[in-house]
Amino acid sequence: MATTFKSTSFLQQKRFETPFFLTSSSSSKFTNVSTRKAFTTMASLTTAAQPVVGLSETFNRLKQQNKVALIPYITAGDPDLSTTAEALKVLDACGSDIIELGVPYSDPLADGPVIQAAATRALSRGTNYDAIISMLRDVVPQLSCPLALFTYYNPILKRGIGNFMCTIKDIGVHGLVVPDVPLEETESLRREALKNGIELVLLTTPTTPRDRMKSIVEVSEGFVYLVSSVGVTGARAAVSGRVQQLLSEIKEATDKPVAVGFGISNPEHVKQVAGWGADGVIVGSAMVKILGEANSPAEGLKELEKFTKSLKAALL
């Protein structure tokens, strides 16, 4: 069920219900030879020639070039992990500056119908934490842009914060977004993230009071995630004009980069938000919908490539 961000500290109550990961061992076998072969010529599959820099440095380099970051989001395991692996390569080859990968969860409070459905499909097909980590261990070295995980808090707690951070560091993840943890409860996350070189990105919303927003941006690492509207993720017909004012207020409080997400779903939105002064644009549900509703993985990857290129062109 879709749930809106009604409080200024996001979701004040932590959820410790059913663990989201399934235990099917078969899901760890994510290699799909036919899908991989089909897109070998389309996406760059070679290991990055130079070390991939983190989120902050990515934004620094883009700023020097007067460019805005394109940050696509997809859900791991939808329609399957082999397609996710290829999709990551496609997104990278199309010029994505940072990629956000959603870890499917059984109670995704911040997500709208499209991403909720994707998470449900992924879990029903056996996607689990170990299989995602295994897939990323193979794919991340082939990417030329940094990867950030988007995950809810319960899966992190289940494995222990320190162990979780150490694991994602070892596979080459650079950033982390945890949408359901209030600022007051991020101390342990921030400490372990810092210890492992993981940039913990915090979110601020249109209903966040200014003083609280200042506290959030002060400790956010990598960039500040500005939620464009009250509610859950999902494509919208238009971006709220208030985003421009919110961007201005945040930039008065910090010189950290600010990326706008939730409801950014087409090239016109991307161009508009960039024109308002955003340092990055995050596109999620539209990406997830392409992969989830395609008649085949090959078709989905082809459409994903076309769509990503159109978004990138809007930022040139």
Side-chain angles (χ1 to χ4, degrees), residues 30 85-86 88-89 134-143:
F30 58 86
E86 297 306 318
L88 291 172
K89 298 169 191 174
S134 179
M135 180 271 291
L136 290 177
R137 195 179 301 279
D138 175 63
V139 174
V140 170
Q142 301 179 48
L143 304 179

Side-chain angles (χ1 to χ4, degrees), residues 42-58:
M42 182 181 69
S44 173
L45 305 184
T46 58
T47 301
Q50 299 179 346
V52 176
V53 300
L55 311 185
S56 297
E57 182 58 25
T58 295

Side-chain angles (χ1 to χ4, degrees), residues 190-205:
R190 288 189 280 121
R191 182 176 60 250
E192 292 298 327
L194 181 63
K195 185 186 302 183
N196 288 279
I198 301 295
E199 294 173 281
L200 182 65
V201 179
L202 301 185
L203 300 87
T204 182
T205 76

Side-chain angles (χ1 to χ4, degrees), residues 48 52-53 58 88 91-92 96-99 140 143-147 174:
V52 176
V53 300
T58 295
L88 291 172
L91 293 172
D92 182 45
S96 299
D97 298 291
I98 296 168
I99 300 174
V140 170
L143 304 179
S144 63
C145 68
L147 181 76
H174 284 86

